[in-house]
Amino acid sequence: MTRPSFTEALATRPWLLADGATGTNYFQMGLESGDAPEMWNFDHAERVRSLHRRFIEAGADIVLTNSFGGNRHRLKLHNAQGQVREINIAAAKNARAEADAAGRAVYVGGSVGPTGEIMEPIGAMSHDEAVKAFAEQALALKDGGVDVLWIETMSSEEELKAAVEGCAQAGLPIVTTMSFDTNGRTMMGITPKAFGAMTAALPTQPVAIGANCGVGASELVATVLGISEARPDAAVVAKGNCGIPQYVDGHIHYTGTPELMADYARIALDAGAKIIGGCCGTSPEHLAAMRKSLEGYSKGSRPSLELIETKLGPVSELAKGHDAAAAGAARRERRRGN
């Protein structure tokens, strides 16, 4: 089957549906807390492939490889830092096999997560060291057959820049997302609008930018509004968590229903997202509801924050653009000026 390239599909399709959660679904399939999901690419390859298959059957146009922690610094926690190449090639091949068997165009995104280290000048990780680690992973994912490199869940500007520079060495399209999980900002304080401006200045331009994970569907859509406002030219990714995590009967359970995620998918499209998927807690059942809600739907007007809160849940004050601390500082500065 001849299929358009990922960038061609992104340019010509009204939307693309990305898959859902990896880790939270693996826990349902037997992954133990503290174990490295990436080792399942060898030890339980059929389980890895079955989750890809279920997401594809649910309607995913994009599946992400089981390689989120597949860089040498994260793998060091499991004494597997010498297996970066084998792990990432296996992850890519597991996803590629299911995508190629789909009978329609399904794209494989090579998942690239953070190193888990703090970058200079705050931490000890140098820019060059980070670039080298990301390049090592990216080149292995390319050799395994991915269509696009998918940098996700970043929180610092320094690490995101290193990841893009490293992944650029593979010569594949790049998607990059950050996690705005701290009152509308990343853990390191970056706002959606600042993220948009930062990505616009990158020497290697990602084909899509956006947000993943975070603290729920409502906050994620508010983030998309900020990113799309800052970068109206960009293809934007919305890959939000399935509601809010709650501890129930000894297990983490996410509150989002298939109905809520169906609403989220349409509202995310209206907010400016071109690629829509789910993150933590999102099952194939949730994704099927998202696919059904998008099929035949025409993009509507940009949603208000009131609509988002009514349909999806509360949005933090910072995500609304109400930064009380900054406003107070500005008032004090004005008083000093007087």
Side-chain angles (χ1 to χ4, degrees):
M1 179 184 70
T2 302
R3 62 182 175 89
S5 69
F6 177 77
T7 50
E8 288 169 341
L10 188 60
T12 57
R13 296 269 296 273
W15 48 266
L16 292 169
L17 185 67
D19 61 8
T22 298
T24 50
N25 282 300
Y26 284 171
F27 285 126
Q28 299 291 328
M29 298 165 72
L31 182 69
E32 296 290 336
S33 180
D35 288 349
E38 294 76 20
M39 302 312 292
W40 270 30
N41 289 305
F42 307 121
D43 300 339
H44 298 291
E46 179 49 38
R47 294 185 200 179
V48 171
R49 288 185 56 169
S50 72
L51 184 59
H52 291 316
R53 191 180 315 130
R54 288 167 60 207
F55 277 131
I56 291 168
E57 290 169 352
D61 299 305
I62 305 164
V63 289
L64 301 189
T65 56
N66 175 28
S67 57
F68 177 78
N71 63 75
R72 63 172 46 251
H73 299 282
R74 283 287 288 268
L75 290 173
K76 185 168 56 180
L77 300 174
H78 308 281
N79 200 32
Q81 63 270 30
Q83 296 177 264
V84 171
R85 181 170 173 78
E86 302 96 303
I87 287 169
N88 283 278
I89 287 177
K93 287 186 172 179
N94 283 329
R96 181 84 267 158
E98 296 302 324
D100 289 347
R104 60 184 176 87
V106 175
Y107 299 94
V108 176
S111 175
V112 175
T115 61
E117 305 289 338
I118 304 296
M119 299 281 293
E120 292 179 343
I122 298 170
M125 172 76 77
S126 71
H127 175 80
D128 289 347
E129 189 178 2
V131 169
K132 184 177 179 180
F134 287 122
E136 179 184 32
Q137 182 179 11
L139 290 165
L141 287 166
K142 179 183 182 179
D143 288 347
V146 304
D147 298 294
V148 54
L149 292 166
W150 199 283
I151 301 164
E152 56 179 337
T153 327
M154 291 289 165
S155 62
S156 85
E157 178 176 355
E158 293 80 13
E159 187 163 30
L160 183 140
K161 287 180 174 178
V164 172
E165 185 177 334
C167 286
Q169 295 184 28
L172 291 174
I174 295 170
V175 169
T176 184
T177 64
M178 299 191 92
S179 180
F180 298 86
D181 55 7
T182 311
N183 290 320
R185 299 169 184 260
T186 72
M187 184 177 66
M188 303 302 284
I190 298 170
T191 65
K193 290 182 181 179
F195 168 66
M198 178 213 316
T199 53
L202 289 169
T204 298
Q205 278 293 295
V207 297
I209 63 171
N212 76 295
C213 205
V215 290
S218 58
E219 192 90 339
L220 194 288
V221 174
T223 298
V224 167
L225 286 174
I227 295 171
S228 59
E229 182 181 342
R231 288 287 309 278
D233 59 311
V236 177
V237 180
K239 209 168 189 288
N241 288 351
C242 183
I244 306 298
Q246 295 180 343
Y247 197 67
V248 180
D249 297 329
H251 299 282
I252 297 294
H253 170 75
Y254 282 78
T255 58
T257 62
E259 291 77 18
L260 180 137
M261 294 303 283
D263 285 341
Y264 148 77
R266 288 188 172 195
I267 296 170
L269 184 69
D270 293 344
K274 186 72 178 282
I275 300 173
I276 300 164
C279 205
C280 302
T282 308
S283 69
E285 291 72 27
H286 291 105
L287 204 77
M290 293 164 63
R291 181 82 196 196
K292 186 176 179 181
S293 78
L294 288 169
E295 290 284 5
Y297 178 70
S298 297
K299 183 178 177 180
S301 57
R302 280 172 74 82
S304 65
L305 287 167
E306 291 75 19
L307 177 89
I308 293 170
E309 292 197 304
T310 298
K311 291 283 190 179
L312 303 178
V315 173
S316 71
E317 291 303 305
L318 276 176
K320 293 176 184 177
H322 302 159
D323 189 338
R331 284 194 298 271
R332 290 191 293 274
E333 190 63 32
R334 286 197 297 272
R335 283 198 294 270
R336 280 196 292 270
N338 293 335

